[in-house]
Amino acid sequence: MNLRQLEILRAIVRYNTTVAAGRVLGLSQPAISNALKTMEEQVGFSLFQRSNNRIFPTEETKILLNEAETIFEIHKRIEMRIEDLKNNRIGQLRLVATPPLGYGVVAKAIQQIQKKKPNLKAFFDVHRYEDVIEYILSHRSEIGFVMGFAEHPGIVSQVVYKGHMVCVMPPEHPLMKLSVVTPQDLVRHRFIALEHGTKLGDALRHAFRQSKQDLHFAVEVRYGLTACALANAGVGVAVVDPLTADSSQYSLAQRPFVPEISVMASVVWAENRSLTRVSRQFIREVENIVHDR
């Protein structure tokens, strides 16, 4: 006896007549009667007693339906889960990001999407650029967010933000009198440089070479957030990407840095993997956040 037959049997018992059962299930009365006849032939015993044009379930039918109730409960849960998936109400996100994005826009996007989807589970980690790419290629994360993505075999990318690096400093710093900050302006102040060999660190050094100015630093750090922490502590000034500057917990002032250093944030995923609906929605959340800034 299959699930549809059990459903018909249950409806006949619940609604007392084959006519009412057919109406609820969207079947004709003859179709219900034929289904009942087929079921009795299959099981080899009567499922109903007939008296005065009325039918009453036998004890065997009651036992059968009592056992089948667990099946109907499971089926109902599956239908509810399908509806949740259809409306994108549940699921999970496996995310990875580099620090400039992970501690700012991605963290904010997680907060935003979980407000809309309280049951959504997120698995999130922050790593250096090379590790983010590895996480995506090995499917340990579905989507990743990186600054300055370079084409990589097996990786698909989509730009979510474009901007230019800025100089950050305490609000009372003398450089705040300038409309823009140049490498020549930084010579007279203690400078916190991004690490040589990193994408943004090398871009910063190229800008100094363009200006025919040597780069001298008081401190060298790997991440922009570290530079912001030191700038807030009065160690010096730094040039970081604007997403890091905006996400910093510190009350740092900003000035445009010239020559301009373009920065680009991208979402990446594996070429051989289709994005889930919830991942696509998360990408839209990130895009909305960077757009609003």
Side-chain angles (χ1 to χ4, degrees):
M1 190 177 292
N2 59 40
L3 182 61
R4 183 58 169 169
Q5 290 174 318
L6 286 171
E7 188 178 29
I8 292 171
L9 184 63
R10 185 175 183 235
I12 297 172
V13 172
R14 179 169 292 183
Y15 300 107
N16 297 318
T17 68
T18 55
V19 174
R23 188 181 304 116
V24 170
L25 297 176
L27 298 172
S28 66
Q29 190 276 334
I32 294 292
S33 296
N34 289 336
L36 178 55
K37 180 180 178 181
T38 299
M39 283 186 281
E40 289 186 323
E41 291 174 351
Q42 288 177 339
V43 299
F45 54 82
S46 296
L47 295 170
F48 291 89
Q49 297 174 342
R50 283 120 177 126
S51 177
N52 298 325
N53 294 322
R54 298 184 64 188
I55 57 175
F56 303 92
T58 62
E59 286 302 313
E60 290 84 357
T61 297
K62 293 177 182 178
I63 292 171
L64 185 61
L65 288 178
N66 184 60
E67 293 292 331
E69 199 59 38
T70 301
I71 297 175
F72 288 113
E73 290 174 2
I74 294 172
H75 184 248
K76 181 64 176 177
R77 289 200 299 270
I78 292 173
E79 286 185 324
M80 292 172 63
R81 183 55 57 90
I82 290 172
E83 189 66 20
D84 286 340
L85 290 169
K86 176 182 176 182
N87 293 307
N88 207 18
R89 289 196 294 257
I90 62 171
Q92 66 178 29
L93 274 169
R94 292 193 175 274
L95 311 165
V96 64
T98 53
L101 295 162
Y103 295 130
V105 295
V106 174
K108 181 64 175 176
I110 292 173
Q111 186 259 347
Q112 291 292 330
I113 199 169
Q114 288 191 330
K115 280 173 60 178
K116 300 173 184 176
K117 303 177 184 305
N119 294 324
L120 177 68
K121 289 184 173 62
F123 301 87
F124 174 49
D125 210 346
V126 175
H127 286 281
R128 56 191 295 175
Y129 178 94
E130 296 79 7
D131 293 335
V132 170
I133 299 302
E134 177 57 32
Y135 264 59
I136 297 302
L137 289 173
S138 63
H139 292 186
R140 292 167 68 184
S141 293
E142 183 178 0
I143 53 177
F145 294 86
V146 297
M147 300 291 293
F149 176 71
E151 293 300 317
H152 194 289
I155 296 287
V156 179
S157 67
Q158 175 183 318
V159 175
V160 294
Y161 173 79
K162 290 182 179 180
H164 299 93
M165 293 181 75
V166 296
C167 185
V168 294
M169 66 203 82
E172 68 280 2
H173 196 278
L175 288 177
M176 281 301 297
K177 298 175 182 178
L178 304 177
S179 58
V180 297
V181 175
T182 68
Q184 288 78 8
D185 298 321
L186 293 173
V187 171
R188 296 185 293 274
H189 301 278
R190 292 176 62 82
F191 184 55
I192 305 160
L194 297 178
E195 186 178 293
H196 175 69
T198 63
K199 290 180 179 295
L200 296 184
D202 288 347
L204 182 64
R205 284 162 176 77
H206 178 70
F208 270 73
R209 287 195 298 271
Q210 275 185 288
S211 302
K212 296 180 171 51
Q213 181 66 55
D214 292 334
L215 188 153
H216 299 286
F217 58 82
V219 184
E220 185 182 69
V221 298
R222 182 172 185 85
Y223 298 120
L225 280 176
T226 309
C228 289
L230 292 173
N232 184 71
V235 173
V237 300
V239 175
V240 300
D241 68 274
L243 294 180
T244 294
D246 288 350
S247 65
S248 169
Q249 60 182 308
Y250 309 110
S251 300
L252 294 172
Q254 303 178 26
R255 283 292 183 264
F257 179 77
V258 293
E260 290 183 342
I261 303 175
S262 297
V263 290
M264 184 174 66
S266 300
V267 56
V268 296
W269 64 92
E271 188 175 30
N272 60 358
R273 181 173 187 169
S274 298
L275 293 183
T276 60
R277 294 174 66 210
V278 70
S279 289
R280 293 188 182 279
Q281 183 176 352
F282 186 80
I283 293 170
R284 290 194 295 271
E285 291 288 349
V286 170
E287 289 174 329
N288 291 338
I289 290 169
V290 297
H291 179 267
D292 290 345
R293 70 173 293 279

